[in-house]
Amino acid sequence: MLSILGFCMILTFLVLVITKRLSVVVAFIFTAIAFGLIGGFASEMGEMMVAGILKVTPTAVMIVFAILYFGLMIDVGLFEPMIAKILSFVKGDPLKIVMATAIITILVGLDGDGSSTFMITVSAMLPLYMKLGMNRLVLASVVGLAAGVMNIIPWGGPLVRAAASLQVEVSDLFIPLIPVMICGLLWTLFAAYILGKRERERLGVSPMETAMPPGMSEQAAAVEASNGTSKLFWFNWFLTILLMVLLVMEVLPIQILFASAFAIALFVNFPNPQEQQERILSHANSFVMICTLIFAAGIFTGVFTETKMMDSMATSIVTVIPDWLGTHLPLVVALTSIPMGFIFSPDAYYFGILPIISETASNFGITPVEIGRAALLGHSTTGFPLSPLVPATFILIGLVGVDFGDHQKFLFKWAFGTTIVMTIAAITFGVISL
């Protein structure tokens, strides 16, 4: 009964969001309340929701200060010289801009943190898309594709979760996946080329002058940006680079690093308390909207997890696997991990479902490490940039400013293609068995 209720809960939420019957926030909360009551958990529902909110609170805190920090850097013109240089390279060509988006995401994604990858890349590239009138769904999709593949690196979340839950060595999971990841990145660049070519056909190649503010040359734009309102261009660059280094080194929790950096930047650039308040208020809309989504998702996952719907669903999914599919479980796991990314959060999937699947697979002579590799092919690459249960997804769509349902519909076929390409590559290289 709980399993059926859980499937209905997920399906109801996805239908409401994708068909735009309700906003994501309202759908999260209404669905959680409705199915909590239907399941007979009225007396416990409040505690379940609070537990869910508490789990996502650190993410929400990080989002607030990250948006405030990068918003402030944009206000003082930190990224304008970079934009001018990139524009001078791409020559107003949407195709080159989309390709550059993919490459920058891959490089930034080496830090292993999807949230910071989204924030850094989008902050740098969004002004270019806005200047040229490009489709922001393309930006969200290309960043999501590249970050999804890079999400498999050993210091990223999914691979560490898989290794811990299956009790296997990280190197046993990752090293065989390196050529598979390369194939995934090549597919990402191919997708970026196709999407960029479509944007070029729609918009054409803009002359450099039209991409700059009226009456301003490229050189003048760079000079004005470097002499921005704060007149502290190099200090801001140093602070931002230091922040990124400390994030990678994990010197302090990411929330504390962003909060500290924002406080320093705000004080140095705007010493007047009134101006500081104005800067905060100018970006309030951005972080209020995203944090509302995060807390609503916490309410949803709190009910979904604490009612044991998720545990019941995990058991049901495993028991319906027919015997004749047993020897093909790695392929089954790779493909089914895509819808699993929509149903289960990363923690739920890797720590709740994967061990059960691995135990089942062992009866057919399939090793846990092979199941772990197969799971990463879909859940990481497709589920990560699309799942409503992954907070980083809302960071991406919030920063880019696109609708969650539109993002899912636009990106799904390309993300699904990533999983298919990487699965074929994994079979070809003998990383998983057919």
Side-chain angles (χ1 to χ4, degrees):
M1 183 62 187
L2 279 177
S3 179
I4 295 173
L5 197 64
F7 281 114
C8 290
M9 183 176 177
I10 292 294
L11 181 62
T12 299
F13 169 76
L14 290 176
V15 169
L16 290 174
V17 170
I18 293 175
T19 60
K20 297 184 180 180
R21 299 281 180 172
L22 295 175
S23 68
V24 178
V25 172
V26 176
F28 267 136
I29 298 173
F30 277 11
T31 305
I33 293 174
F35 282 87
L37 293 174
I38 292 171
F41 300 100
S43 61
E44 309 164 60
M45 201 161 54
E47 293 180 1
M48 294 176 179
M49 291 178 173
V50 171
I53 290 174
L54 290 176
K55 288 181 180 179
V56 300
T57 296
T59 299
V61 173
M62 182 269 292
I63 289 172
V64 170
F65 288 108
I67 288 178
L68 285 172
Y69 181 82
F70 284 110
L72 178 61
M73 291 300 103
I74 291 173
D75 290 344
V76 298
L78 179 66
F79 298 107
E80 286 301 320
M82 180 191 298
I83 293 169
K85 289 185 179 297
I86 295 176
L87 278 175
S88 68
F89 171 74
V90 300
K91 301 300 182 184
D93 187 346
L95 172 58
K96 293 180 180 179
I97 290 175
V98 177
M99 293 296 292
T101 301
I103 294 170
I104 291 172
T105 306
I106 292 169
L107 295 175
V108 176
L110 288 170
D111 71 351
D113 184 357
S115 299
S116 62
T117 298
F118 291 156
M119 289 183 289
I120 295 168
T121 307
V122 172
S123 297
M125 299 305 296
L126 181 59
L128 290 174
Y129 282 73
M130 296 179 68
K131 282 178 181 288
L132 299 181
M134 295 173 63
N135 186 356
R136 287 181 291 178
L137 285 170
V138 172
L139 171 59
S141 295
V142 172
V143 172
L145 283 174
V149 178
M150 295 304 294
N151 202 32
I152 299 178
I153 56 179
W155 49 93
L159 193 138
V160 171
R161 288 185 180 95
S165 67
L166 299 177
Q167 297 184 341
V168 298
E169 293 293 330
V170 169
S171 58
D172 292 339
L173 283 174
F174 177 68
I175 293 176
L177 282 173
I178 292 176
V180 179
M181 281 187 65
I182 293 173
C183 292
L185 293 175
L186 290 175
W187 164 261
T188 297
L189 293 174
F190 170 75
Y193 176 81
I194 297 298
L195 293 172
K197 189 175 181 181
R198 290 178 183 175
E199 285 297 279
R200 176 199 276 175
E201 291 172 353
R202 183 173 71 89
L203 299 171
V205 179
S206 302
M208 282 302 302
E209 289 74 20
T210 62
M212 293 294 169
M216 182 179 291
S217 67
E218 175 192 342
Q219 183 177 4
V223 171
E224 170 139 336
S226 62
N227 295 326
T229 56
S230 71
K231 300 186 184 301
L232 290 166
F233 177 78
W234 293 113
F235 169 81
N236 291 324
W237 260 121
F238 173 77
L239 181 62
T240 302
I241 292 172
L242 177 63
L243 172 61
M244 294 303 103
V245 171
L246 294 177
L247 284 174
V248 174
M249 294 176 63
E250 299 181 348
V251 174
L252 290 171
I254 187 172
Q255 299 89 349
I256 304 303
L257 286 174
F258 269 115
S260 302
F262 172 68
I264 294 170
L266 186 63
F267 174 76
V268 172
N269 286 278
F270 298 95
N272 186 293
Q274 182 62 36
E275 290 182 333
Q276 293 173 4
Q277 189 71 15
E278 291 173 358
R279 288 302 92 207
I280 294 173
L281 291 176
S282 68
H283 298 286
N285 184 61
S286 298
F287 67 74
V288 166
M289 289 299 296
I290 298 176
C291 287
T292 302
L293 285 171
I294 296 295
F295 286 128
I299 290 173
F300 181 88
T301 54
V303 172
F304 190 51
T305 304
E306 298 297 325
T307 56
K308 304 301 180 183
M309 290 184 200
M310 185 168 11
D311 294 340
S312 181
M313 289 171 67
T315 303
S316 299
I317 290 170
V318 173
T319 56
V320 299
I321 298 175
D323 291 339
W324 63 270
L325 271 181
T327 56
H328 304 291
L329 269 179
L331 177 61
V332 173
V333 170
L335 297 179
T336 58
S337 62
I338 300 172
M340 294 289 188
F342 289 86
I343 299 174
F344 300 103
S345 66
D347 286 333
Y349 179 71
Y350 287 107
F351 292 107
I353 295 179
L354 205 57
I356 301 173
I357 297 177
S358 176
E359 184 64 28
T360 304
S362 66
N363 296 321
F364 298 94
I366 300 169
T367 61
V369 71
E370 193 172 347
I371 293 297
R373 294 171 194 157
L376 291 165
L377 297 177
H379 197 277
S380 173
T381 58
T382 302
F384 171 64
L386 285 171
S387 174
L389 302 179
V390 177
T393 302
F394 296 107
I395 296 177
L396 176 61
I397 64 171
L399 289 171
V400 178
V402 295
D403 179 77
F404 179 64
D406 291 340
H407 171 67
Q408 282 190 318
K409 288 186 286 187
F410 190 90
L411 176 56
F412 180 79
K413 59 181 178 293
W414 298 105
F416 182 73
T418 304
T419 297
I420 296 300
V421 168
M422 292 181 68
T423 300
I424 293 173
I427 294 171
T428 302
F429 293 124
V431 176
I432 65 172
S433 59
L434 181 59

